Amino acid sequence: MITLEQYQALSSEELNALIKDANLSRPNAGQARLYYSARKFQSVLGATKLIDLQQLSKPNEVSIPMEENAPPYLTDKWLQDTVTSIEKNYYARDTLALRVPPAALVRCSRGGKTRALLELSTALKDRFKGEDVAVIYISINANTSLLEWETLNPIDAICRRIAFAALPNSEGQSFEKFAEEVEVPSSAILEWLGNTPRILLIDELNSFKDLNNPENIQMQKLGAFLKENFLTAAKQYFVFSSHVISSSNQLSEFMDFTSKRNVLICELPLIANVSIAIKNFQFPVLDVGQLLFYGCVPALVYESSLDPSSEKKYLPNANRQLAIDTCVKDGLTERSIEQLLGTFLDGDPSLVPSPLLKLMDTTRDGKILWIPYNMVAALSDFSNKGPIKYSKLLRTICNCFDNFKTSSGDAWENLFVITLLIRLISHRFDRRLLPLDEDVYADYEVSFNKYIMYDTGESLSAYINVDEFIRAFTTPEDFPHIAVYFPTHAQFETFDVIVAACDKRGKRTLYGYQLKQGAGDVTPLNPFLKRDWLRDKWFHRIYAVRGKAPSKSSEITGDWIIPNEPEINAFFGMSGQRWTPRRWAELDRQPRRQTKSKPSAAADDVVEEASATPKMVTGGKKGRPKK
């Protein structure tokens, strides 16, 4: 430990350098003590000063920063419902039967959480206008991002931002300069608040990297501080935003070790009509494919509409790339790729590399949903820097996603191939549409448009009929093997996709898929094909997969199996079922009425409302709030 005499010998520049060097990345306990002793000595030298509470606005007069002319991403109904839910818990207090739940806004990076929290703050200000209620918005992002040394004391980091927000002219000041010059202990902020009723809104609470570390003492102290001063008493409350629900769950654990405390998940609305988004975002080329590619997230769709050369932001991807690079640096294995792809089907967040969670959307039940815009970027990088075994298949999935976005005529076929490849790579056969025996096809290889003779040219489109196409299949080098064939622009209509499954002895079994976006008639089989291929049992099953499928019972038309809607949804999984033709029709329908209030990318009648009542997660008991 450095002595007082050694500190006295340091210049101000040397002392600042010492502080910086002591707090790079994740400081250990010794570095933490070094930092705090250095900060304390700075105060002795007069380099820092204690916050002057007289310079701060009154708690109920703290202003909310808002960007002018920014497109609203929320509906009036969502704001009203959320304000009502927050008000209910604001008046509640902890009892033996009730643990008051904090509220969380959860969505992917660049998903509009900051905008939502700002609009919510303004709505709460309006709700309590004229009352002595402090509505305080702070951010651990953008201009007040977490400084390296602040990770050592998250309570001080929160209090420092509260004080900065309460400065009358904070918008024109440098937060970093303020943080380096002014000490803001929690005792000062609590003195400033006094007995004032309060609602604290914290943007990007997940910026504290140790929030998901249940053994971190400082995070435990932060949880206790927020609980005791912004939650458990009546007329106190706090709301926060995060990329992932896991942060919400862990925060509740920090607050209560012996009993579970719920977290109120306020799911943000999604765009539910393409024509309204076209009008309000002035995005004339937007179509359903693009809307789904951006996950129907208003913020992503809006930013994708901006001219890249304009002064406005255009889908900044630095955070996304950092998450992807971290995954690559941590190491990608064949198993981790398989597990990641499997989350497309089951939405299990525990199988997603933690840096990627911020790139996905989250449901109220804690499941993750893929956003193709983000996942294509991740899989593209993984195809070049990950296991070579899956490099070509990952590139194929990325190409199919791009085609899904831009090729409306072939979007259904590309979505089917994406799901088929994901199922095969992640070893997730499907009982109805991919009924392979797991014992027969164990430890298999997967290929795409590979084992076929190209005698008629370099493109599969050169084949005139399906019989000629099938006879051109060649034998893989290793068994068992499952080959997927997607002959785009082929001159035959019988099958759009064929799966050739070779067992460990090399015996080939075929599965044929004919895909139509609507409920069109099945294309008849060529008599020659029916006689040779079905009679000899080469085709185990042939499917007519319809975007407008039977709602309940599967149908059999001749030799064709027509899966019903529940079977199709099960095949496409948690994420894929949200992108099927039935969903396209919903997004493309005409709105029932025009918006009468301020323009919104997500008007009440065309938004997939998250929930009239936000959902509780984590456990605990519900109780009736007392007013």
Side-chain angles (χ1 to χ4, degrees), residues 4-16 19 37-49 181 183:
L4 179 62
E5 290 75 14
Q6 289 173 311
Y7 275 129
Q8 290 173 330
L10 297 175
S11 66
S12 177
E13 291 77 12
E14 290 172 330
L15 187 59
N16 287 332
I19 292 172
S37 58
R39 285 284 288 187
K40 183 177 180 180
F41 187 65
Q42 274 191 325
S43 180
V44 171
L45 293 177
T48 64
K49 57 185 179 181
E181 295 179 352
E183 294 289 344

Side-chain angles (χ1 to χ4, degrees), residues 463-473 492 494-495 498 510 526-533 539:
Y463 287 97
I464 298 174
N465 58 66
V466 68
D467 182 69
E468 177 189 26
F469 181 69
I470 294 172
R471 292 184 184 279
F473 290 175
F492 54 85
T494 311
F495 297 118
I498 295 174
L510 302 180
N526 181 302
F528 182 79
L529 174 75
K530 186 171 182 178
R531 184 186 73 232
D532 280 19
W533 297 105
F539 271 99

Side-chain angles (χ1 to χ4, degrees), residues 453-468:
M453 295 184 293
Y454 286 89
D455 294 342
T456 57
E458 292 299 318
S459 172
L460 298 185
S461 64
Y463 287 97
I464 298 174
N465 58 66
V466 68
D467 182 69
E468 177 189 26

Side-chain angles (χ1 to χ4, degrees), residues 172-370:
Q173 297 188 37
S174 164
F175 172 74
E176 186 170 356
K177 186 173 185 293
F178 172 82
E180 290 176 351
E181 295 179 352
V182 181
E183 294 289 344
V184 188
S186 58
S187 58
I189 290 300
L190 295 179
E191 178 186 346
W192 172 71
L193 285 169
N195 295 322
T196 305
R198 66 202 67 159
I199 300 177
L200 176 64
L201 300 100
I202 308 174
D203 188 30
E204 301 283 11
L205 189 63
N206 56 276
S207 295
F208 290 112
K209 303 304 180 186
D210 286 321
L211 189 60
N212 290 318
N213 179 4
E215 298 180 356
N216 188 275
I217 300 300
Q218 293 300 326
M219 289 296 110
Q220 293 175 15
K221 291 180 178 179
L222 174 62
F225 175 78
L226 291 173
K227 180 183 75 171
E228 293 167 6
N229 298 289
F230 295 94
L231 194 61
T232 55
K235 296 188 178 181
Q236 293 181 358
Y237 199 61
F238 83 92
V239 186
F240 64 96
S241 71
S242 177
H243 294 316
V244 291
I245 280 184
S246 60
S247 298
S248 310
N249 294 340
Q250 190 55 58
L251 182 63
S252 72
E253 295 285 348
F254 285 143
M255 290 180 176
D256 294 275
F257 296 106
T258 58
S259 60
K260 295 284 187 179
R261 182 179 295 270
N262 290 327
V263 175
L264 202 65
I265 300 299
C266 304
E267 196 175 9
L268 299 180
L270 300 171
I271 294 175
N273 183 274
V274 69
S275 62
I276 294 295
I278 288 173
K279 177 181 178 181
N280 290 324
F281 289 155
Q282 299 181 359
F283 196 178
V285 298
L286 180 68
D287 59 22
V288 171
Q290 291 173 302
L291 194 59
L292 291 170
F293 188 75
Y294 293 110
C296 295
V297 176
L300 290 180
V301 174
Y302 171 70
E303 291 196 355
S304 71
S305 73
L306 301 178
D307 184 347
S309 62
S310 71
E311 294 182 358
K312 293 185 177 181
K313 297 178 181 179
Y314 180 77
L315 283 177
N317 58 15
N319 288 339
R320 181 182 73 178
Q321 193 57 51
L322 177 61
I324 295 171
D325 291 343
T326 302
C327 287
V328 173
K329 183 179 179 181
D330 291 345
L332 295 167
T333 64
E334 293 177 3
R335 182 58 180 154
S336 65
I337 293 293
E338 294 164 2
Q339 290 180 328
L340 172 62
L341 293 179
T343 64
F344 175 90
L345 304 168
D346 60 23
D348 185 350
S350 68
L351 300 179
V352 179
S354 56
L356 291 187
L357 285 171
K358 67 172 65 176
L359 305 184
M360 298 181 171
D361 207 358
T362 308
T363 69
R364 290 178 299 147
D365 299 320
K367 297 291 187 179
I368 59 93
L369 297 172
W370 280 30

Side-chain angles (χ1 to χ4, degrees), residues 1 7 15 18-20 22-23 27-42 148-153 156 160 179-180 183:
M1 198 67 184
Y7 275 129
L15 187 59
L18 179 63
I19 292 172
K20 183 176 180 181
N23 293 282
N28 58 35
Q31 290 172 320
R33 289 193 298 271
L34 174 63
Y35 161 73
Y36 279 113
S37 58
R39 285 284 288 187
K40 183 177 180 180
F41 187 65
Q42 274 191 325
E148 290 176 350
W149 50 268
E150 287 190 296
T151 60
L152 297 165
N153 192 324
D156 279 7
R160 191 173 291 112
E180 290 176 351
E183 294 289 344

